[in-house]
């Protein structure tokens, strides 16, 4: 009897085991909201979450790296072009704890000999150590500049964002609260993961306009709309005048023409338009219905600084700003006052830009 009991028991265990092996795990994934690896939306999200390295280009001359502060360098206080670091006592060591401190140093920051090793982050948020300028040269040689790189800088996610993540390798579903671009990048850059976003989520563009999207299609359309639509400021050939306080004020804000007088008040011509001064010395005048592109130049070497415009002559209202040396009379964080003085034969002109 015992032998029969054991045989029955063993058979039951084997049958149970066989049944268990045949049971496939049931995993619920919302296919309607699922974002597949390497899909257009997944690639867009990775591009938005990539680390933009252009803000500190005055240091590393590379939009593919972001310097980790603090950073130190040697600076020639006498600005003698014949001096060398090896034999000159005028070189002093300077240390910076933020990019704001470097920019506050002004155009002289371009003359600093940076001290290696330097810690940087790559566009995929990976930290690397540059042992010498040769390491940086290698990155610069392979870096696409001028705004043609893969990252999308015109819009950012507002965190936290909740994701449902299905892993194809482990056949498991997890929920994660994403708090940064670094986390977002790594989740969507994984080829083995299918992801659903818990909507609604919010995004913010360069003009600080917040947009709320409710599903994958709205998110895709929003990123498509702004892709390449802003100045990414991936500049490595610096115009020294752009690095002055006035130059930085112009490029770091969007302006409107609050006053234009040329004998008479003609301000109404520019109602609804904004001016976006870009680091590549282009300027974009845009309204809801029209966009005009021109060029700008700032000469800040002497006082008063002079601003010049060059718009296409067919763009009637903005071409009125051409062929004039606009002297900067005063400026602060919110207002720039300019004028073209009367030469006795023609009336003077006045221009006021406000944020």
């Amino acid at each position: 009897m015992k032998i029969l009991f054991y045989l029955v028991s063993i058979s039951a265990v084997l049958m149970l085991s066989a049944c268990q092996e045949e049971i496939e795990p049931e995993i619920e994934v919302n296919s309607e909201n699922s974002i597949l690896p390497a899909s257009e939306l997944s690639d867009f999200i990775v591009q938005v979450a990539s680390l933009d390295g252009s803000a500190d280009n005055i240091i590393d001359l590379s939009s593919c790296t972001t310097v980790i502060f603090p950073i130190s360098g040697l600076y020639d206080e006498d600005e003698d072009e014949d001096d060398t670091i090896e034999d000159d006592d005028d070189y002093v060591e300077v240390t910076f704890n933020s990019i704001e401190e470097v920019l506050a140093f002004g155009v002289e920051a371009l003359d600093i000999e940076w001290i290696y090793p330097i810690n940087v982050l790559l566009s995929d948020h990976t930290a690397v150590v540059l042992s010498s300028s040769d390491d940086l040269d290698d990155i610069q040689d392979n870096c696409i500049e001028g705004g043609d790189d893969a990252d999308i800088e015109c819009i950012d996610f507002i965190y936290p964002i909740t994701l449902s993540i299905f892993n194809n390798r482990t056949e498991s579903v997890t929920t994660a609260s994403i708090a940064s671009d670094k986390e977002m990048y790594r989740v969507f850059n994984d080829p083995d993961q299918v992801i659903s976003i818990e909507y609604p989520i919010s995004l913010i563009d360069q003009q600080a306009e917040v947009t709320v999207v409710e599903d994958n299609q709205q998110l895709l359309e929003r990123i498509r709309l702004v892709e390449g639509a802003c100045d990414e400021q991936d500049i490595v050939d610096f115009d020294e005048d752009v690095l002055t306080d006035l130059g930085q004020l112009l490029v770091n804000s969007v302006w409107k023409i609050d006053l234009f007088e040329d004998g008479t008040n003609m301000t109404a011509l520019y109602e609804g338009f904004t001016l976006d001064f870009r680091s590549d010395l282009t300027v974009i005048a845009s309204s809801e219905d029209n966009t005009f592109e021109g060029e700008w130049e700032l000469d800040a070497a002497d006082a008063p600084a002079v601003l010049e415009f060059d718009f296409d002559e067919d763009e009637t209202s903005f071409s009125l700003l051409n062929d004039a040396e606009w002297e900067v009379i005063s400026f602060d964080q919110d207002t720039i006052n300019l004028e073209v003085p009367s030469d006795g034969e023609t009336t003077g002109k006045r221009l006021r830009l406000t944020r």
Side-chain angles (χ1 to χ4, degrees), residues 254-265:
V254 175
W255 300 88
K256 62 181 180 181
I257 295 179
D258 185 61
L259 174 70
F260 176 65
E261 291 182 351
D262 185 2
T264 60
N265 191 319

Side-chain angles (χ1 to χ4, degrees), residues 105-212:
F105 205 76
V107 296
E108 287 81 7
L110 294 170
D111 299 323
I112 295 174
E113 297 284 344
W114 299 107
I115 298 173
Y116 290 85
I118 296 175
N119 298 306
V120 300
L121 296 172
L122 303 181
S123 58
D124 63 358
H125 302 270
T126 301
V128 297
V129 178
L130 304 180
S131 300
S132 67
S133 59
D134 290 338
D135 291 343
L136 180 57
D137 289 342
D138 290 340
I139 294 176
Q140 291 170 339
D141 290 342
N142 294 290
C143 186
I144 300 174
E145 299 290 0
D148 295 325
D149 50 343
D151 65 338
I152 298 175
E153 303 168 24
C154 303
I155 202 163
D156 292 297
F157 294 109
I158 297 178
Y159 298 101
I161 294 174
T162 301
L163 305 178
S164 179
I165 305 168
F166 170 62
N167 190 296
N168 288 317
R169 296 190 306 272
T170 62
E171 294 188 327
S172 62
V173 175
T174 57
T175 300
S177 179
I178 304 302
S180 67
D181 278 342
K182 179 179 179 180
E183 296 176 14
M184 197 77 160
Y185 182 98
R186 292 185 175 175
V187 169
F188 277 92
N189 200 46
D190 189 329
D192 293 311
Q193 297 187 147
V194 178
I195 302 159
S196 296
I197 297 176
E198 184 178 300
Y199 290 99
I201 66 170
S202 299
L203 301 96
I204 185 168
D205 64 19
Q206 282 198 338
Q207 281 71 49
E209 179 182 345
V210 175
T211 302
V212 177

